[in-house]
Amino acid sequence: MYQQTPPNGSCGADLGPNATVIPLSASAQNNRNFRTVLWTGCHLQLTVMSLAKGEEIGWEQHPDTDQLLRIESGESVVEMGCCRGKCEQKKTLQAGDAILVPAGTWHNVRNTGCCPLRLSSVYAPAQHPRGTIHRTKADAEK
């Protein structure tokens, strides 16, 4: 079955695992949640995130999951390393930049701009339960 999200890019329903077209930039711009899962398949998952000024994802690593993060709008810094909080690589990012995080790599993304940071993230395999919506970072940490 083929699906297409509404043209306004509204967020909220996990459209996987069916073949789907998603207006990713619009979905990221319209997302007001810390994290919204847009699509979950058998081998990967697509989410969008919104970080307020100064907010960060927090140091994390996914032992068995590769991740691609794409900055949709805003300015940010990514830090990556082999241990929690140990920065071996630090890069300033802007809209259109992508971060490739191999499984097991510690990483953190921080909003350094004056506007919300909007980003998309692909996990392979899926990292969050199908249909997950974390309205705030505190919700995500529970």
Side-chain angles (χ1 to χ4, degrees), residues 6 8 18 27 31 41 47 57 61 67-68 86 91 101 112 117-119 121 123 131 135 139:
N8 66 359
N18 298 317
S27 294
N31 176 54
T47 71
I57 291 173
Q61 64 106 342
Q67 185 176 14
L68 179 150
K86 183 178 181 188
K91 299 284 182 186
V101 184
T112 57
L117 174 66
R118 310 284 190 201
L119 55 95
S121 178
Y123 299 92
R135 299 214 184 282
D139 290 342

Side-chain angles (χ1 to χ4, degrees), residues 56 75 113:
E56 60 186 77
E75 299 172 5

Side-chain angles (χ1 to χ4, degrees), residues 71-97:
I71 307 304
E72 301 294 339
S73 67
E75 299 172 5
S76 63
V77 168
V78 63
E79 297 173 299
M80 293 185 275
C82 63
C83 303
R84 176 189 285 272
K86 183 178 181 188
C87 177
E88 296 165 341
Q89 188 176 67
K90 183 176 182 178
K91 299 284 182 186
T92 300
L93 306 167
Q94 59 190 12
D97 289 342

Side-chain angles (χ1 to χ4, degrees), residues 31-108:
N31 176 54
R32 298 299 179 254
N33 299 313
F34 179 76
R35 178 183 295 112
T36 301
V37 173
L38 296 180
W39 191 92
T40 303
C42 296
H43 303 287
L44 64 86
Q45 182 174 64
L46 174 64
T47 71
V48 289
M49 297 183 73
S50 179
L51 302 178
K53 178 181 176 182
E55 189 173 29
E56 60 186 77
I57 291 173
W59 281 96
E60 63 179 5
Q61 64 106 342
H62 312 293
D64 301 312
T65 303
D66 291 332
Q67 185 176 14
L68 179 150
L69 297 112
R70 183 176 187 278
I71 307 304
E72 301 294 339
S73 67
E75 299 172 5
S76 63
V77 168
V78 63
E79 297 173 299
M80 293 185 275
C82 63
C83 303
R84 176 189 285 272
K86 183 178 181 188
C87 177
E88 296 165 341
Q89 188 176 67
K90 183 176 182 178
K91 299 284 182 186
T92 300
L93 306 167
Q94 59 190 12
D97 289 342
I99 307 160
L100 300 165
V101 184
T105 301
W106 284 91
H107 58 284
N108 184 26

